[in-house]
Amino acid sequence: MRRRTILSLLGLVALLFVIYYFYLARPTNFATTDTYKRYSEVTEILDVIEIDKRHVFVPMVTEENEYGMSLWVWKNHKWNMEFDSTVGGPRIIKLKNNDPSSYQVFWNIHPDDQISYGELYLLKKRNYHITEGIHNYYPGLQLKTILDFEGTPFGVTELPDEWQKVMEASIKLEEARQPDPIFESMFPVMQDVYFGWISYNSDHVRQQADATNVGGASWGGGVDIQHVVDIPEEELEYYKVED
């Protein structure tokens, strides 16, 4: 009986140690050498930016002169690369799916494109339909903020407070329509809302981001990444064609 009690206590201690080691222990300092060791095609690490204690953003340059980026997550007591791309156009990472305050936009702009800034948009197209004789109108959404690429062509930033409030309201509305978690997983909230961007040079003229966006490859698995689409100015509200 005593032996069984001792073995049970040892098993409990071992279990607690495993839980602490893999799930509760503080992350170690992220070392840029990890990237060089695992991915020989990377020739330069431009910076290591801590998004939070368990997420790190690494903009980099490859042997092919591609300006890419990666995201690393502290999981199972080690740093794991959960997103990798050899193109650097803006992307959105959702640290918590239904919490817009956790959303971060990150980028790594190729200097060959000579882009000075970008207009980042939160968009939703108007919609109208009739169901069982009831007219339903869904207003559009267009919010804009500026991403400054002068001086430092890479970075991470949270979304504006106004955007967060709008998305929080949209999430609550969609959740009220889908009270069953099963339907929520099948039809994710804010499925009609998307992000877009337009790149400009220092003369405020639209500049194509070919070196930043075209070609290359991306992959990701353990993080929720949303693509930011390259949008034409003509699709925006209040677009004015100059004489």
Side-chain angles (χ1 to χ4, degrees):
M1 183 70 179
R2 182 179 178 183
R3 181 181 180 184
R4 183 180 301 176
T5 302
I6 293 175
L7 290 176
S8 298
L9 289 174
L10 290 175
L12 178 60
V13 171
L15 177 61
L16 292 175
F17 174 78
V18 169
I19 293 174
Y20 172 80
Y21 184 83
F22 285 104
Y23 300 103
L24 301 177
R26 292 183 178 181
T28 59
N29 291 331
F30 182 87
T32 57
T33 52
D34 285 348
T35 306
Y36 284 110
K37 290 177 181 177
R38 303 181 195 183
Y39 304 94
S40 58
E41 68 272 14
V42 175
T43 59
E44 182 182 1
I45 298 296
L46 299 176
D47 202 351
V48 174
I49 302 175
E50 183 181 279
I51 300 176
D52 63 17
K53 295 298 182 181
R54 294 178 177 270
H55 296 82
V56 170
F57 168 62
V58 181
M60 57 195 175
V61 183
T62 72
E63 291 178 348
E64 302 297 326
N65 196 36
E66 299 164 318
Y67 278 65
M69 48 194 181
S70 62
L71 290 171
W72 297 72
V73 179
W74 177 258
K75 185 170 61 177
N76 296 333
H77 206 78
K78 64 178 181 178
W79 288 103
N80 299 272
M81 190 174 73
E82 299 289 351
F83 173 80
D84 182 39
S85 178
T86 54
V87 291
R91 306 285 181 95
I92 306 291
I93 178 174
K94 300 179 179 181
L95 301 180
K96 298 178 181 178
N97 184 43
N98 287 348
D99 181 7
S101 66
S102 75
Y103 298 178
Q104 304 275 335
V105 55
F106 60 97
W107 64 89
N108 185 19
I109 305 301
H110 201 298
D112 288 354
D113 285 329
Q114 298 183 345
I115 297 173
S116 294
Y117 67 95
E119 293 179 346
L120 180 69
Y121 288 90
L122 177 65
L123 300 164
K124 181 179 181 181
K125 294 183 178 179
R126 290 187 180 89
N127 192 11
Y128 173 82
H129 65 84
I130 302 175
T131 303
E132 297 180 353
I134 300 175
H135 296 252
N136 298 276
Y137 171 72
Y138 301 93
L141 173 66
Q142 178 176 302
L143 298 176
K144 181 182 78 171
T145 190
I146 300 296
L147 302 177
D148 186 5
F149 306 140
E150 287 284 2
T152 306
F154 55 83
V156 180
T157 186
E158 62 183 14
L159 299 180
D161 290 341
E162 181 185 9
W163 291 29
Q164 296 178 27
K165 293 177 181 177
V166 169
M167 287 187 287
E168 286 171 0
S170 180
I171 288 173
K172 290 179 180 178
L173 178 61
E174 291 297 326
E175 288 178 339
R177 292 175 178 173
Q178 302 174 16
D180 193 326
I182 296 178
F183 289 100
E184 184 177 329
S185 62
M186 294 172 60
F187 305 98
V189 296
M190 296 200 309
Q191 56 183 331
D192 296 328
V193 177
Y194 64 100
F195 297 92
W197 81 302
I198 302 175
S199 50
Y200 294 91
N201 60 25
S202 58
D203 295 322
H204 311 292
V205 176
R206 176 159 191 174
Q207 183 82 10
Q208 293 299 323
D210 292 338
T212 298
N213 283 336
V214 179
S218 302
W219 71 265
V223 287
D224 189 353
I225 301 293
Q226 186 162 345
H227 186 61
V228 179
V229 299
D230 190 16
I231 56 176
E233 294 171 310
E234 293 80 1
E235 285 189 8
L236 299 173
E237 298 285 344
Y238 313 118
Y239 173 73
K240 180 180 179 180
V241 179
E242 296 182 359
D243 298 330

